[in-house]
Amino acid sequence: MAKAAIDVPPKGGFSFDLCRRNEMLLQKGVQPPSFRKTGTTIVGLVFQDGVILGADTRATEGPIVCDKNCEKIHYMAPNIYCCGAGTAADTEAVTDMVSSQLQLHRYATGRESRVITALTLLKSHLFSYQGHVSAALVLGGVDVTGPHLHTIYPHGSTDTLPFATMGSGSLAAMAMFESKYREGLTRDEGIKLVCEAICAGIFNDLGSGSNVDVCVITKGNREYLRNHQLPNPRTYVSSKGYSFVKGHTEVLSTKIAHLQLEEVEGDAMEE
Amino acid sequence: MDLDLNAPHSMGTTIIGVTYDGGVVLGADSRTSTGMYVANRASDKITQLTDNVYLCRSGSAADSQVVSDYVRYFLHQHTIQLGQPATVKVASNLIRLLSYNNKRMLETGMIVGGWDKYEGGQIYSVPLGGTLLEQPFAIGGSGSSYLYGFFDQEWKKGMSKDEAEKLVVKAVSLAIARDGASGGVVRTVIINSDGVTRNFYAGDTLPLWHEELEPVNSLLDMSSPEPMSS
């Protein structure tokens, strides 16, 4: 392949040039970089008047907590909310996208959105990406056909359940649900059980933590209880305060390294 | 032992379809697993395609749900255009076409069962790869390995509806006893000229097999909450 004298701008579409290089690196034993997953505990349950969703509020980047109070319960429609676990970017993007599609659908049909509409839109999107969009969702809402609760997995499969948990803390939360859930819970009992399940995730799973968010959806009404419980208050605050004025830190030694600069002929920016 | 919560949702499964004199009985367990974790202990693996044709799904949950959704949609259109209920042969052929033409990308084995006025009750098996095979009875899923010998001995032509259903429930419960990827409850669907009947058999109503113990201190004994009604 001769080197082109004139640089042609790349045509649209995916450029496969780097695939051979990646394969060669893999053969040499170089580990490919892994993407950040967010540990989470998200839950949902059906109670006598509708659906209650719950989530913790910790977002992690590997071993570090990057957001101590993030929102994992996403708005889909006035009567439908969705909790997201997995890669934060994926859950945000996919719920925002389907939320917009639902609004356009509401304008076109003139009716309130149904939960299975959101379900079908989400599952077809996730299936077409064959699991690479890493979003595990708990979708809940109340529409004309009644209260609904569904779980959606990254590969596009769905389950319809009376109570559900997802995320790294799902086992701890499911243990709470399996022992205490029953049909026909009242609003207060439901909120209490959801909080207990999320707290089980917060205290027993390293990927979940901070506060409990709850969302109660009933016919014609929804209540988003942001930070309904704060079981992890900051217990130690230094009495000296946290301002560090210049001059307070002792300088032990100083070393200056000069950068090597080269003079280059011609224009700095050649288009 | 890794609890891989990011593994694709798969239905280890035991699925069965049996013809009897006058219709068919479909049966399945209810366990959906994600790696070693049971993601749904009460799933419904027998899905409706039309009023008279049902489908048992096994393998990848996502793949089988997508295939069944497409075929339900095609059959709905076909029924409108034909002006009468679709035949079981047409339904299973549609399943087979999707399975065969996408064989590199799909991982799902299915059993189609139903009743139509031309051929009566029929069972068609569509395993991995997309073969279409009409059989008097069919078994599928990971739990079916334990049932080949059982069916060779126990299946008889011309059973009654109750005999067929008892056979299916017994078979699924035997498979559940031996296969780790099958469990939960047993669901059956009976399809004949009178219509469709769905039945549900909870774990505690199933017989105990070799070396299985009576439940002791089970949650069901406690005076607390009612177990959920279906």
Side-chain angles (χ1 to χ4, degrees):
Chain A
M1 217 185 302
K3 217 170 157 184
I6 307 160
D7 278 324
V8 181
K11 294 187 189 133
F14 187 72
S15 161
F16 289 89
D17 300 338
L18 289 173
C19 291
R20 275 179 62 192
R21 167 226 180 226
N22 290 344
E23 261 178 51
M24 184 265 294
L25 284 174
L26 269 175
Q27 275 170 0
K28 295 220 169 146
V30 175
Q31 301 287 1
S34 64
F35 44 85
R36 320 281 187 167
K37 311 270 315 174
T38 58
T40 296
T41 308
I42 50 173
V43 305
L45 60 74
V46 175
F47 73 112
Q48 69 186 19
D49 302 321
V51 164
I52 305 178
L53 301 173
D56 74 304
T57 61
R58 172 181 286 183
T60 51
E61 256 183 29
I64 302 167
V65 175
C66 60
D67 189 348
K68 290 182 275 191
N69 206 3
C70 71
E71 282 187 25
K72 299 188 189 180
I73 306 185
H74 308 287
Y75 167 89
M76 298 286 270
N79 58 323
I80 306 173
Y81 275 75
C82 186
C83 307
T87 306
D90 287 340
T91 59
E92 282 283 343
V94 91
T95 49
D96 279 352
M97 181 191 82
V98 172
S99 172
S100 314
Q101 288 176 343
L102 284 176
Q103 188 162 45
L104 289 170
H105 194 248
R106 279 200 292 285
Y107 289 142
T109 57
R111 289 175 170 78
E112 188 187 59
S113 295
R114 299 192 188 191
V115 183
I116 43 166
T117 315
L119 182 73
T120 309
L121 290 167
L122 286 164
K123 72 144 78 176
S124 11
H125 181 83
L126 292 174
F127 181 78
S128 59
Y129 282 88
Q130 288 289 297
H132 292 288
V133 173
S134 183
L137 310 165
V138 171
L139 176 73
V142 180
D143 57 32
V144 284
T145 51
H148 298 277
L149 180 69
H150 303 283
T151 51
I152 309 162
Y153 288 80
H155 286 262
S157 58
T158 60
D159 285 315
T160 306
L161 295 162
F163 57 90
T165 66
M166 296 277 259
S168 55
S170 63
L171 269 65
M174 186 52 96
M176 294 306 296
F177 274 171
E178 283 284 20
S179 69
K180 295 189 179 178
Y181 181 84
R182 53 171 217 286
E183 282 184 350
L185 290 164
T186 64
R187 180 181 178 276
D188 291 331
E189 288 172 334
I191 294 178
K192 180 164 173 282
L193 183 54
V194 161
C195 290
E196 281 176 349
I198 298 288
C199 284
I202 285 173
F203 295 121
N204 300 102
D205 173 43
L206 298 180
S208 310
S210 300
N211 318 123
V212 182
D213 283 352
V214 175
C215 184
V216 185
I217 310 171
T218 53
K219 192 165 173 60
N221 184 32
R222 95 273 193 174
E223 282 173 73
Y224 186 86
L225 305 168
R226 170 76 169 146
N227 287 358
H228 179 68
Q229 265 189 12
L230 297 109
N232 291 300
R234 190 170 175 186
T235 43
Y236 174 72
V237 181
S238 161
S239 53
K240 284 193 229 165
Y242 288 98
S243 68
F244 301 99
V245 180
K246 200 168 171 187
H248 273 52
T249 314
E250 191 188 338
V251 176
L252 296 178
S253 70
T254 313
K255 179 180 172 189
I256 301 172
H258 292 285
L259 293 173
Q260 300 293 339
L261 293 174
E262 263 181 44
E263 282 282 320
V264 177
E265 281 292 316
D267 295 330
M269 294 278 182
E270 243 173 277
E271 253 312 318
Chain B
M1 189 182 54
D2 255 346
L3 208 71
D4 184 13
L5 291 172
N6 300 316
H9 231 24
S10 102
M11 299 177 302
T13 311
T14 306
I15 49 174
I16 300 178
V18 161
T19 56
Y20 71 91
D21 186 24
V24 297
V25 179
L26 300 174
D29 74 307
S30 70
R31 177 173 287 185
T32 308
S33 39
T34 313
M36 282 287 134
Y37 178 64
V38 177
N40 189 351
R41 61 178 166 87
S43 40
D44 186 5
K45 302 181 189 180
I46 311 180
T47 50
Q48 181 181 28
L49 293 180
T50 69
D51 288 339
N52 55 318
V53 181
Y54 278 67
L55 174 75
C56 295
R57 303 178 288 113
S58 77
S60 157
D63 291 350
S64 64
Q65 280 178 10
V66 157
V67 166
S68 77
D69 286 346
Y70 267 114
V71 171
R72 191 181 309 120
Y73 164 66
F74 294 143
L75 279 174
H76 188 211
Q77 288 188 319
H78 172 70
T79 305
I80 292 169
Q81 291 169 345
L82 194 66
Q84 59 185 36
T87 57
V88 187
K89 185 180 276 193
V90 164
S92 39
N93 200 33
L94 287 168
I95 295 275
R96 179 268 298 232
L97 287 172
L98 278 176
S99 246
Y100 179 75
N101 291 327
N102 296 297
K103 59 157 74 193
R104 307 260 164 254
M105 287 173 306
L106 294 174
E107 192 194 293
T108 167
M110 289 168 282
I111 297 177
V112 185
W115 183 95
D116 60 43
K117 68 184 187 197
Y118 298 104
E119 302 281 339
Q122 301 142 75
I123 292 285
Y124 290 86
S125 179
V126 184
L128 255 54
T131 322
L132 178 60
L133 197 53
E134 193 197 347
Q135 296 173 300
F137 68 88
I139 53 179
S142 57
S144 66
S145 317
Y146 307 99
L147 297 176
Y148 284 99
F150 173 76
F151 267 92
D152 283 345
Q153 179 168 63
E154 293 292 326
W155 186 80
K156 289 159 186 47
K157 200 166 170 229
M159 283 187 286
S160 73
K161 178 172 76 143
D162 290 327
E163 282 177 331
E165 202 195 3
K166 279 200 179 57
L167 180 67
V168 164
V169 172
K170 186 174 178 188
V172 178
S173 92
L174 280 166
I176 287 174
R178 286 288 178 181
D179 178 31
S182 301
V185 305
V186 180
R187 294 189 194 272
T188 63
V189 173
I190 308 172
I191 313 170
N192 51 32
S193 55
D194 301 324
V196 175
T197 315
R198 267 191 173 276
N199 285 325
F200 166 88
Y201 298 89
D204 55 341
T205 61
L206 301 172
L208 290 169
W209 302 110
H210 179 53
E211 286 180 340
E212 281 192 317
L213 302 171
E214 285 278 343
V216 173
N217 294 331
S218 140
L219 278 178
L220 295 169
D221 294 336
M222 294 175 181
S223 55
S224 65
E226 275 277 308
M228 313 220 308
S229 45
S230 61

